Amino acid sequence: MAQIELESVTKEFPDGTTAVSSLDLAVGDGELLVLVGPSGCGKTTALRMVAGLEDVTSGTISIDGRPVNDVEPRHRDIAMVFQSYALYPHLSVYDNMAFSLKYRRAAKAEIRQRVAEAARILELEPYLQRKPRQLSGGQRQRVAMGRAIVRQPRAFLMDEPLSNLDAKLRVQMRAEIAQLQRSLGTTTIYVTHDQTEAMTLGTRVAVISGGVLQQVAAPQELYRRPANLFVAGFIGSPPMNLIDARLERGGAAGDDAGPVVVFGPHRLAIPPEVVAAHPAFERYLGEAIVLGIRPEHLHDAAIAGGPVIKLPVRLREELGSEVQVHGAIGTAAHVSADAADDLRSLATIVARMDPRTKIAEGETAEIAVDTAELQFFDPASGDSILA
Amino acid sequence: MSLTEAKTATAIRPAVRRRGRSGRAAHSRLSRRRRRAGILLSLPALALVVALIGIPVGQAVYYSMTQWNGITATWIGPSVYTALFKDPIFWRVVENNALLLLAVPFAIGIPLVIAALLNEHVRGWRFFRSVYFLPTAISWVVIGMFAQRFFAATGVLNNLLSHVGFGASATDMLAGEHSALVALAITFIWSMVGTNTIIFLTGMATLDPTLTEAARVDGLSRTQIFFRVTLPLLTRFIQFSFVITVISAFSALFSLIFVMTSGGPGFGTTTLEFFIYQAGFQQVQFGTAALYGVVLFVIMAIAGLVQLRLIKPDDGGGW
């Protein structure tokens, strides 16, 4: 197994595009690190640099402490699973899986044994003599995994290996990959644009945007303590409600009441323990901030307690296990500078509620807010005030 | 099954059968109509094929068994074929054709290497691609004239040889029977470089680049990737190139031979194709020309069948 380190790794293409900018990452031995971000954010480029398929413009990539910037991919002892699977169409499943071992001069008996073992794990035994085009998408994906497994490499690199599968198969294969990685214990870097995949698979998740690393953390940490507005908006479905607001001191001027967050006609007192844990609040008193509320932290006041805001309900969506309620907040939703203009009109927040809720479209609902879970961001830098 | 269920089932079955029968009848009526429409629609094409290919081939077979001067034809019969196969000159000409086939691997191999190098997109690859494609854009007559001057006693080749100290080995390649055929083969190879290079470049452009990337990660060197990944995936392009090169070797060299050697010295560079021209237009024996034409047609038909055998729709190759 291996440790992989990226130190200030930058990739600039000849046309001047900076795909990856000063990326620092360390992947521990046996860890599954997921690189997640929107399309074109540089995550695949970063992975390809680790594989040796792209040159590094500046910075250093090390595997087990040894810089590999100038090492050919074949000498890095890593295996890669491609988005398109990259199975050799002229070879059978067996030959595809044995391909690398043959050229690494492994003994025939060993090749047979390793391919048989991988085929058993991946349930590919009935298909070993078939050509890739005779397989379904899921089977091809498993062959691509098998080709990586038989190598017993120091690390796996996976570039959106599930993106060509249908939703049901993707869920199944996701679980299989997670189990496989845990049982093999091989260091893995997994690239995806699907945040659900990232959250369910990763020991840690690295969020990238515009070639810049935004945050690396365990999935729960990433979800509960997003480092900035990008992570807050990217992780979570439906995404976190982001609202332009102000932090003000509660009560009359000069008294010692705690801060309140004000947006539109609404005022929410921030729990004293939150204020106490984050002295940075003081700096923002009287200033504009961006308030973040996860949809699941808004409840029907008839079912759950907490400070209440009143929202006119525009839409109620039944999802079976939950009800999503869209309410007008009476002020503009926060829109980042690079966001699309069509988001500017979304002056609504979404709440994920208990399916027993009776809140109906058209009524003004009383919504209880879990204020202990509120997030606060600096509107200028986008960074979390709670960090 | 209860009695009521059994009655219901019995009542339903004939209805299903009736529907089944009428459905089958409707289906067979529809398929008959479709078949008829298909035949009708293909008739014009069939008529054209018969008029433009069938009748001329039939006429050629007929005239091949006659003595025909272009105006009057005297029937001789199938014995002309027996006589032909006993004619040593005919076999010499066929041998020339066979020897020219030895150029085919070079006419495919050299463009394959060039295409592989160009596909690396080295600096100036577009310029080199144009240079290699140039012979395809030039008339065969011009290529022949250029080759004649290149291989002549005082031509470019001998000048080059004497400049690098091999003046003693300078020779007029077009003057010797065997060397003239070699010169013709070299010119043929050069003239096929452009077409075949473009075919292979096209083939390489269709390959999924992640395959070579996967092979790089799998541990293969560039040479191994070419032979183990790229080449097998180009199988169909190589087969196609093989077929058109063989066909060209048999039926596209007339201009080259006419300009470079006129079939000589002796019968040194006469191919079946040129033999037809000589019999028909130099000796005014159109019957004999038709005879050679039929033989060439049979050889080309065999080459075509081999091609069909090679390029099967599902032979495991992938592109």
Side-chain angles (χ1 to χ4, degrees):
Chain A
M1 305 313 121
Q3 286 182 314
I4 301 171
E5 281 178 66
L6 287 82
E7 284 178 63
S8 306
V9 170
T10 296
K11 174 67 186 179
E12 276 179 23
F13 286 108
D15 65 357
T17 310
T18 303
V20 176
S21 179
S22 207
L23 180 62
D24 289 302
L25 262 182
V27 189
D29 197 2
E31 184 184 11
L32 196 164
L33 179 90
V34 178
L35 297 183
V36 67
S39 297
C41 72
K43 55 193 187 298
T44 294
T45 306
L47 190 80
R48 287 170 60 83
M49 284 193 285
V50 176
L53 297 173
E54 295 284 354
D55 292 332
V56 177
T57 307
S58 65
T60 308
I61 296 176
S62 311
I63 299 177
D64 281 337
R66 176 188 167 220
V68 293
N69 287 31
D70 300 321
V71 177
E72 277 286 306
R74 62 193 167 123
H75 295 135
R76 295 190 185 197
D77 194 15
I78 38 119
M80 187 158 172
V81 180
F82 291 82
Q83 187 174 5
S84 64
Y85 314 136
L87 300 179
Y88 307 115
H90 58 298
L91 300 179
S92 66
V93 169
Y94 179 92
D95 289 332
N96 262 284
M97 289 165 76
F99 192 75
S100 173
L101 294 178
K102 279 182 188 168
Y103 291 100
R104 285 168 194 271
R105 298 180 196 285
K108 276 189 179 169
E110 190 189 352
I111 295 174
R112 263 199 304 275
Q113 183 257 323
R114 283 211 218 168
V115 172
E117 176 64 10
R120 188 188 59 75
I121 294 170
L122 295 162
E123 295 174 17
L124 283 170
E125 283 153 319
Y127 313 112
L128 285 175
Q129 297 314 315
R130 290 195 190 173
K131 293 276 172 65
R133 68 192 144 81
Q134 295 170 304
L135 303 177
S136 68
Q139 289 163 345
R140 286 181 203 188
Q141 203 280 332
R142 291 214 296 272
V143 177
M145 288 293 297
R147 192 169 66 182
I149 291 172
V150 295
R151 290 263 310 274
Q152 297 180 356
R154 288 195 291 177
F156 290 136
L157 306 178
M158 300 191 190
D159 184 11
E160 308 212 30
L162 305 182
S163 62
N164 290 334
L165 304 181
D166 62 52
K168 194 176 169 191
L169 198 54
R170 198 155 54 225
V171 172
Q172 186 190 331
M173 290 307 298
R174 195 168 72 202
E176 287 185 19
I177 287 176
Q179 280 174 358
L180 201 62
Q181 197 274 338
R182 272 171 214 146
S183 64
L184 296 172
T186 308
T187 310
T188 304
I189 303 180
Y190 188 105
V191 161
T192 180
H193 66 272
D194 181 339
Q195 46 134 329
T196 313
E197 215 166 282
M199 299 291 276
T200 50
L201 274 176
T203 318
R204 285 186 307 149
V205 178
V207 183
I208 298 180
S209 172
V212 179
L213 181 66
Q214 304 293 319
Q215 187 176 4
V216 193
Q220 272 305 316
E221 171 75 8
L222 206 63
Y223 188 78
R224 298 199 56 199
R225 297 279 172 259
N228 57 37
L229 281 169
F230 178 81
V231 179
F234 187 77
I235 300 291
S237 178
M240 182 184 282
N241 297 297
L242 297 171
I243 307 157
D244 283 326
R246 290 184 71 80
L247 264 189
E248 290 178 3
R249 196 175 294 282
D255 78 11
D256 206 19
V260 292
V261 59
V262 181
F263 57 102
H266 314 292
R267 290 172 70 87
L268 286 171
I270 300 166
E273 60 274 19
V274 175
V275 179
H278 303 96
F281 271 113
E282 283 298 323
R283 279 212 316 271
Y284 288 90
L285 281 173
E287 302 286 333
I289 52 118
V290 178
L291 170 68
I293 314 174
R294 289 273 179 213
E296 60 271 30
H297 297 143
L298 295 166
H299 312 280
D300 181 351
I303 297 173
V308 170
I309 55 173
K310 289 186 177 179
L311 295 182
V313 176
R314 287 182 175 174
L315 180 68
R316 175 189 163 109
E317 292 177 317
E318 302 278 356
L319 298 180
S321 61
E322 68 189 42
V323 170
Q324 290 186 5
V325 172
H326 298 240
I329 53 173
T331 183
H334 173 76
V335 181
S336 60
D338 56 350
D341 280 345
D342 56 356
L343 285 179
R344 208 167 286 279
S345 62
L346 294 179
T348 57
I349 55 175
V350 180
R352 288 171 69 176
M353 293 189 174
D354 189 299
R356 291 170 298 170
T357 182
K358 300 277 190 294
I359 290 176
E361 281 176 26
E363 73 173 71
T364 297
E366 291 201 334
I367 309 284
V369 183
D370 193 347
T371 48
E373 297 293 342
L374 295 179
Q375 302 290 321
F376 304 91
F377 301 92
D378 183 315
S381 67
D383 292 339
S384 172
I385 294 169
L386 304 180
Chain B
M1 190 188 288
S2 71
L3 189 61
T4 326
E5 282 172 330
K7 277 181 181 166
T8 317
T10 334
I12 288 169
R13 254 181 242 127
V16 170
R17 269 204 294 273
R18 274 198 303 278
R19 253 205 314 279
R21 269 197 223 112
S22 66
R24 270 200 298 278
H27 181 260
S28 87
R29 262 202 309 279
L30 183 66
S31 62
R32 254 203 316 276
R33 223 179 292 156
R34 278 184 180 160
R35 231 183 354 255
R36 216 177 298 144
I39 292 168
L40 277 173
L41 288 170
S42 55
L43 274 180
L46 195 68
L48 273 175
V49 168
V50 169
L52 297 176
I53 299 174
I55 294 173
V57 167
Q59 280 181 324
V61 172
Y62 169 75
Y63 283 122
S64 73
M65 290 181 270
T66 64
Q67 203 166 37
W68 181 35
N69 61 8
I71 299 166
T72 53
T74 313
W75 176 257
I76 297 171
S79 60
V80 290
Y81 284 92
T82 324
L84 176 71
F85 293 133
K86 285 181 183 162
D87 182 0
I89 294 175
F90 167 74
W91 287 112
R92 176 68 210 278
V93 168
V94 172
E95 187 188 339
N96 286 344
N97 269 112
L99 286 172
L100 277 173
L101 285 183
L102 295 177
V104 172
F106 296 98
I108 292 171
I110 294 169
L112 197 54
V113 173
I114 292 170
L117 293 173
L118 288 177
N119 198 47
E120 291 289 312
H121 291 187
V122 289
R123 206 178 170 81
W125 69 276
R126 284 192 179 86
F127 169 74
F128 287 112
R129 185 180 59 183
S130 306
V131 167
Y132 290 121
F133 191 65
L134 203 59
T136 309
I138 298 175
S139 146
W140 287 84
V141 174
V142 177
I143 293 174
M145 289 171 72
F146 173 78
Q148 192 195 31
R149 286 174 192 189
F150 182 81
F151 291 113
T154 54
V156 179
L157 178 65
N158 286 330
N159 273 333
L160 280 173
L161 285 174
S162 44
H163 272 98
V164 293
F166 291 100
S169 58
T171 174
D172 184 354
M173 282 188 76
L174 299 179
E177 282 198 14
H178 292 293
S179 57
L181 195 64
V182 171
L184 181 66
I186 291 171
T187 313
F188 169 60
I189 292 167
W190 182 67
S191 62
M192 290 305 295
V193 162
T195 308
N196 285 341
T197 301
I198 292 295
I199 289 172
F200 296 139
L201 272 176
T202 308
M204 286 170 188
T206 64
L207 299 185
D208 178 1
T210 59
L211 291 177
T212 48
E213 289 178 349
R216 285 176 71 192
V217 176
D218 274 345
L220 275 72
S221 65
R222 278 180 193 275
T223 319
Q224 285 173 324
I225 291 171
F226 179 73
F227 283 106
R228 303 297 172 196
V229 179
T230 309
L231 208 52
L233 294 175
L234 285 179
T235 308
R236 304 238 176 146
F237 289 88
I238 294 169
Q239 287 168 345
F240 175 66
S241 152
F242 173 78
V243 168
I244 64 160
T245 308
V246 168
I247 290 172
S248 300
F250 274 106
S251 61
L253 294 185
F254 174 81
S255 315
L256 278 188
I257 298 168
F258 187 84
V259 174
M260 285 174 71
T261 60
S262 292
F267 285 96
T269 54
T270 303
T271 59
L272 263 176
E273 178 195 11
F274 200 74
F275 214 29
I276 296 170
Y277 162 76
Q278 283 179 328
F281 297 97
Q282 287 184 349
Q283 297 156 18
V284 200
Q285 293 176 356
F286 292 108
T288 313
L291 176 64
Y292 300 151
V294 169
V295 172
L296 183 60
F297 173 76
V298 170
I299 292 173
M300 296 310 298
I302 292 169
L305 287 174
V306 170
Q307 161 199 348
L308 284 176
R309 182 88 188 139
L310 280 174
I311 307 177
K312 281 185 289 183
D314 192 19
D315 62 356
W319 57 283

